[in-house]
Amino acid sequence: MMSTTCKSPRMVMRVAYVVAKESLPEYAHRFSPKKFTQHQLFACLVLKVHMRRDYRGVVALLADAPDLCAVIDLHAVPHFTTLQKAAERLLRSPRVQRLLDATVRRAMKRRRRVRIAAADSSGFDRTHASRYYVWRTKRVGTPAKHLTYRRFPKLGVLCDVASHVILAIFPTRGPTPDVGQLGELMSRRAHGVFMDRMLADAGYDSEANHELLRDDHGIRSIIPPKAGRPRKDNTLPAGKYRRLMAQRFDKEAYNQRAQVETVMSMLKRNLDGCIRARKTWSQRRELVLKALVHNIMIAYWLPRFSTE
């Protein structure tokens, strides 16, 4: 799979503009000022994440680059507060689901069946300070409050291991166990996509998760049965499917789970591993937007994709 590092913000904006047209109405309300469409505002938000800017920074970039505005037919540069309020409105659950469905359709083309999917979660930083600097501040004296924290933004994803396309997004706050979050991921997956096998690490190991995937969705689950205390007498774990995992674990297929780790690495390397927002819901919106931009960048690289 080609890296999603994209050197053309113009094309990323164009793809985001087309995706928004497919999934969102032109205006939020019939009495809206109609100065900017929701499609244009979403494209500006995508540019913000793609270029690693804040709201003021992306507004300054648009003011200095008229060619970026021309890509989405933007005749005036929106105020940074307009983009901030647009993020609150556009990145809510129903709209996010429609945007995710559109990005998955663009990235996967006519393919609707995923042979192997994988689930995982990862935490994101709340500061750009290096880990070494944070460690030194702890040793030298009392660390600054903005450098150390007990809670952090956390993103759970479900992805196609063949294409690295994100199929489901679940933003939350860590540290939290993964075992109870698989149901949320399955309920938020892209519509019209069918999965044959699901890979997940031992953090998702539970009989309930196996039953959810196998009995409710008809997906073959592959999760190592390592939850709980080690068994000294080599007895099999309790539960029908966890016992099956212990007896006939498909290690060759499970090795593909590393691809979801690659997706997390792509998110952090290409789109920054630090979350700029400080409030919980703002952090969740930023995580969701990162995942959508990731899919848009993959769609940009597909050879058959054309926005003309």
Side-chain angles (χ1 to χ4, degrees):
M1 182 66 193
M2 186 179 295
S3 170
T4 58
T5 303
C6 178
K7 297 182 180 180
S8 177
R10 295 178 70 254
M11 288 306 298
V12 170
M13 283 191 74
R14 183 62 180 171
V15 176
Y17 186 63
V18 173
V19 165
K21 277 190 169 183
E22 293 177 352
S23 50
L24 298 174
E26 189 174 12
Y27 299 104
H29 194 271
R30 60 176 180 168
F31 295 127
S32 64
K34 297 182 174 56
K35 187 175 182 180
F36 308 105
T37 67
Q38 294 194 111
H39 315 146
Q40 293 171 332
L41 294 175
F42 178 73
C44 293
L45 293 174
V46 168
L47 179 67
K48 178 182 82 74
V49 172
H50 176 63
M51 300 301 293
R52 302 189 181 194
R53 302 292 183 93
D54 55 13
Y55 291 110
R56 294 175 186 266
V58 73
V59 167
L61 177 63
L62 290 170
D64 293 338
D67 57 322
L68 292 178
C69 298
V71 169
I72 57 174
D73 301 323
L74 192 66
H75 302 296
V77 177
H79 195 264
F80 73 91
T81 58
T82 302
L83 293 181
Q84 186 266 332
K85 292 176 181 178
E88 292 182 358
R89 183 176 66 254
L90 296 178
L91 299 178
R92 293 179 180 176
S93 295
R95 296 182 179 90
V96 166
Q97 190 63 50
R98 292 198 294 269
L99 289 167
L100 177 65
D101 293 346
T103 60
V104 171
R105 285 195 301 269
R106 282 288 175 179
M108 296 182 63
K109 291 296 181 180
R110 295 182 179 180
R111 185 166 63 94
R112 288 294 175 266
R113 183 164 293 280
V114 174
R115 291 183 56 253
I116 305 178
D120 198 13
S121 65
S122 181
F124 284 72
D125 292 329
R126 287 171 50 191
T127 173
H128 282 93
S130 67
R131 296 186 182 275
Y132 175 75
Y133 178 72
V134 175
W135 175 74
R136 287 291 297 173
T137 57
K138 288 183 179 179
R139 292 197 61 184
V140 173
T142 304
K145 291 183 178 180
H146 70 282
L147 295 180
T148 58
Y149 40 85
R150 297 181 180 178
R151 306 286 285 175
F152 53 84
K154 180 181 175 183
L155 178 65
V157 300
L158 178 63
C159 77
D160 175 16
V161 302
S163 62
H164 295 159
V165 175
I166 294 177
L167 305 175
I169 314 167
F170 179 51
T172 183
R173 293 186 71 194
T176 52
D178 294 333
V179 66
Q181 298 178 358
L182 188 59
E184 287 287 348
L185 279 174
M186 292 301 297
S187 66
R188 297 166 185 244
R189 70 188 186 281
H191 296 140
V193 176
F194 306 96
M195 294 168 281
D196 294 334
R197 286 184 285 185
M198 173 79 71
L199 312 178
D201 61 19
Y204 293 91
D205 178 33
S206 74
E207 187 68 15
N209 283 341
H210 283 291
E211 292 174 353
L212 171 71
L213 295 175
R214 291 177 177 255
D215 297 340
D216 297 348
H217 297 284
I219 302 172
R220 180 185 171 191
S221 57
I222 303 177
I223 306 173
K226 296 183 179 179
R229 296 180 179 179
R231 297 174 180 269
K232 297 181 180 180
D233 53 357
N234 294 325
T235 57
L236 295 176
K240 171 185 174 182
Y241 295 119
R242 296 189 70 237
R243 190 180 302 114
L244 180 65
M245 289 293 103
Q247 293 173 329
R248 293 184 295 175
F249 187 74
D250 191 346
K251 188 175 181 181
E252 183 178 355
Y254 183 74
N255 289 337
Q256 294 295 314
R257 197 197 67 83
Q259 297 302 324
V260 71
E261 303 282 358
T262 300
V263 170
M264 287 299 185
S265 177
M266 293 163 71
L267 282 171
K268 294 182 179 182
R269 287 184 292 108
N270 297 334
L271 303 175
D272 199 357
C274 177
I275 300 299
R276 297 177 181 273
R278 290 293 173 261
K279 294 184 178 180
T280 301
W281 288 106
S282 298
Q283 292 173 351
R284 295 185 180 187
R285 286 192 291 268
E286 190 170 343
L287 288 172
V288 165
L289 190 56
K290 282 181 185 291
L292 293 174
V293 175
H294 169 86
N295 281 359
I296 288 171
M297 292 168 71
I298 289 180
Y300 165 80
W301 279 113
L302 289 178
R304 295 183 181 180
F305 183 82
S306 175
T307 57
E308 300 299 331

